[in-house]
Amino acid sequence: MKDYLKEAEEGFSPLLAIEEASRCLLCHDAPCSKNCPAGTDPARFIRALRFLNEKGAAEVIRENNALGAICARVCPQEKYCKLGCSRSGIDKPIEIGKIQRYITDFEANLKMNILKKPERELGQKVAIIGSGPAALELAALLRMKGYSVTIFEKDEKLGGYLRYGIPSYRLPNDVLDLEIKRILDLGVEHKVNHRVNDEEFKKLKELYDAVIVATGYELAKTLPMFETHHEVELATQFLKRAKEMNGDIDVYSDVLVIGGGDVAMDVVTTLKRIGTPRVIDVVYEEFSEFRASEKELAEARAQNVSIIDGYVPMSYDGITVNFKHRHLDSVISIKPKHIILAVGQVARMQFGLDYEAGEVKTTNYRVGDSNVFVVGDIAHGDKTVVGAVKTAKEANYFIDNFLTKERAK
Ligand SMILES: Cc1cc2nc3c(=O)[nH]c(=O)nc-3n(C[C@H](O)[C@H](O)[C@H](O)COP(=O)(O)OP(=O)(O)OC[C@H]3O[C@@H](n4cnc5c(N)ncnc54)[C@H](O)[C@@H]3O)c2cc1C
Ligand code: SF4
């Protein structure tokens, strides 16, 4: 249980953070900043830290990204800011996420309050359905402008997959709680244990000036051969169970995991951290095609998970799962004590919205000419936390324009 709560990566000490910042080449038109989907502007916060201005650095992060401490820990930086880092051409890219983490930890330790309450109330009301990263970022932005914002969340606590998906050893609860507290302290209202149904959605559209749908990819996918076997657990259910109990859940002696993305890596690493003796992960992709981020795959390997690549499940009789290789003439059979499926998530299609390839059809995040807007995984983008923040920042512009015009009528 303790291993589940222990943060996977250590943070920088002040000396190491400043040393790392001093490796920055201070590029003009910095590619790291251009490569951050949320516009968190690493070039500016790293420059501030180089000049020992930690407070200024914290202000840069927070003004650009209300979830800066979370992104510092969970962003797949090798695809974004670090990919752009010019220092890669000399030796290795700057550890941007760890610097961002050091600065946001400094901000937390000093109890800095950078997000500011609105100076005036605009008198218009916005309802946000869901409370994942897109909803939280948007709630902060709209509230700071002076809109009254109410979040409706079906679960007991706010956060979406930040709360119930990403394991605590990668995103500690106290980091998440503080980010959410700062947003609620702006005066954002919230109702939890409150699933909005189609009927209530219609009412919200009449009662609120704008309704934002930020309901994410709620449903876990399955495979036909496992559908009638209720003993087979879905990855998101397992991760939620582990997170709610701080990793203190029953351990099977051996578990088979099917799937090879980041969620599968979270499942196998969680299983090892809670003490599962034998974990086998069978993956459709071959190693050269792997979808999981480098960091997550490395962590799974460090935990001695057996990863078998390139195999497709063929049949399951309630005891044995048979797999065949995608290209070779090879079949394997596994008789695990427990099975967890990690083969992706999809949106629950709700509120009569028009979906295409898992995303709601919108123009500039707006559904037709209604007062409904959509953000997060169901809007568009790359299905990451920083991608969700990006959709919220972009949608904020269009929602504010829409509400400003409505006020002028
Ligand atoms: C296990 C796991 C690990 C991940 N790890 C990473 C990572 O390391 N880095 C990364 O960048 N991304 C990661 N992701 C992806 C990332 O979490 C998502 O892209 C992101 O959370 C999407 O944000 P969102 O705001 O669209 O909604 P979500 O986080 O999906 O939240 C949607 C919320 O809406 C609520 N909701 C749905 N329907 C209703 C309703 N009718 N009424 C009220 N509430 C409702 C849900 O309960 C939920 O709280 C991970 C995802 C999973 C599942
Ligand atoms: S928010 Fe994420 S992608 Fe952007 S600079 Fe920070 S760690 Fe990099």
Side-chain angles (χ1 to χ4, degrees):
M1 164 188 158
K2 279 198 183 108
D3 218 22
Y4 177 79
L5 293 175
K6 191 169 165 240
E7 207 164 350
E9 213 179 22
E10 281 198 17
F12 276 146
S13 64
L15 191 66
L16 282 179
I18 290 160
E19 250 178 45
E20 187 66 5
S22 66
R23 292 177 58 236
C24 174
L25 300 173
L26 303 176
C27 308
H28 171 69
D29 214 9
C32 59
S33 287
K34 282 192 183 160
N35 270 16
C36 171
T40 312
D41 209 349
R44 266 179 67 221
F45 69 69
I46 291 174
R47 191 185 299 254
L49 184 61
R50 268 181 79 136
F51 290 105
L52 307 181
N53 179 6
E54 275 116 333
K55 281 191 178 173
E59 278 161 10
V60 172
I61 295 172
R62 200 53 69 189
E63 279 159 12
N64 290 314
N65 186 343
L67 304 180
I70 294 171
C71 284
R73 286 166 169 84
V74 306
C75 278
Q77 297 148 42
E78 72 274 9
K79 286 194 205 155
Y80 301 125
C81 53
K82 265 172 89 172
L83 182 68
C85 178
S86 309
R87 186 83 207 194
S88 316
I90 301 174
D91 43 24
K92 54 182 183 157
I94 311 260
E95 290 293 347
I96 297 171
K98 283 181 84 172
I99 293 181
Q100 186 169 318
R101 173 173 160 185
Y102 167 76
I103 297 165
T104 49
D105 284 353
F106 172 93
E107 174 198 20
N109 291 337
L110 252 66
K111 299 192 170 38
M112 289 174 73
N113 251 333
I114 300 169
L115 300 182
K116 291 281 172 274
K117 284 188 177 171
E119 284 166 9
R120 62 187 178 129
E121 297 293 336
L122 294 171
Q124 285 165 298
K125 296 192 301 177
V126 178
I128 303 183
I129 309 171
S131 69
L136 292 170
E137 175 72 29
L138 189 57
L141 293 171
L142 292 173
R143 180 63 200 133
M144 285 191 287
K145 284 203 167 93
Y147 297 105
S148 300
V149 178
T150 307
I151 293 177
F152 295 84
E153 169 53 53
K154 72 168 173 52
D155 280 328
E156 191 189 334
K157 289 186 175 180
L158 302 181
Y161 280 137
L162 303 174
R163 173 74 62 193
Y164 294 113
I166 303 179
S168 303
Y169 56 83
R170 293 205 293 117
L171 177 59
N173 282 333
D174 57 344
V175 175
L176 174 60
D177 289 343
L178 182 58
E179 301 271 71
I180 293 177
K181 180 180 179 308
R182 287 196 191 104
I183 294 169
L184 297 183
D185 284 351
L186 296 169
V188 170
E189 304 287 327
H190 64 286
K191 292 182 182 172
V192 290
N193 294 319
H194 188 118
R195 180 185 272 284
V196 174
N197 59 24
D198 290 358
E199 209 50 48
E200 189 181 12
F201 180 71
K202 285 186 198 142
K203 285 190 194 137
L204 291 180
K205 285 199 291 180
E206 285 163 20
L207 290 171
Y208 286 79
D209 296 283
V211 178
I212 320 298
V213 184
T215 46
Y217 275 14
E218 186 191 340
L219 304 175
K221 283 189 200 165
T222 176
L223 298 171
M225 77 191 75
F226 296 107
E227 264 162 19
T228 52
H229 292 275
H230 300 296
E231 75 282 7
V232 175
E233 199 170 7
L234 300 169
T236 47
Q237 284 170 355
F238 165 75
L239 290 168
K240 184 174 186 187
R241 198 158 65 83
K243 205 154 180 190
E244 283 175 328
M245 299 304 291
N246 286 330
D248 197 6
I249 55 175
D250 287 345
V251 176
Y252 292 89
S253 57
D254 74 300
V255 180
L256 167 67
V257 178
I258 301 174
D262 282 331
V263 174
M265 294 303 114
D266 279 340
V267 171
V268 297
T269 307
T270 298
L271 283 165
K272 289 305 274 186
R273 280 179 175 258
I274 63 173
T276 313
R278 188 158 172 262
V279 179
I280 300 179
D281 183 19
V282 180
V283 183
Y284 173 86
E285 289 85 11
E286 294 186 10
F287 280 121
S288 59
E289 311 160 320
F290 247 53
R291 289 177 292 121
S293 74
E294 286 167 17
K295 214 158 85 175
E296 295 220 42
L297 181 58
E299 166 82 355
R301 283 189 154 144
Q303 295 282 347
N304 286 327
V305 173
S306 311
I307 300 178
I308 303 175
D309 65 322
Y311 280 83
V312 196
M314 275 186 325
S315 60
Y316 175 54
D317 59 7
I319 300 170
T320 309
V321 191
N322 297 306
F323 295 88
K324 67 172 184 212
H325 196 275
R326 276 167 62 203
H327 307 299
L328 307 172
D329 186 16
S330 164
V331 172
I332 51 170
S333 301
I334 301 178
K335 282 186 192 179
K337 291 272 182 293
H338 189 56
I339 300 174
I340 301 178
L341 275 189
V343 291
Q345 292 78 237
V346 283
R348 178 192 293 277
M349 298 194 191
Q350 42 192 347
F351 314 139
L353 298 171
D354 194 3
Y355 282 82
E356 190 176 75
E359 295 175 353
V360 177
K361 283 196 204 163
T362 61
T363 307
N364 294 331
Y365 298 95
R366 185 175 175 192
V367 177
D369 59 1
S370 69
N371 63 345
V372 176
F373 292 78
V374 174
V375 289
D377 276 358
I378 56 165
H380 60 78
D382 51 5
K383 320 306 171 209
T384 59
V385 173
V386 72
V389 170
K390 174 188 183 217
T391 65
K393 287 181 74 172
E394 288 175 354
N396 167 55
Y397 171 82
F398 295 109
I399 296 165
D400 186 38
N401 269 353
F402 165 76
L403 290 171
T404 305
K405 280 187 195 142
E406 291 295 301
R407 259 198 324 277
K409 275 183 186 170

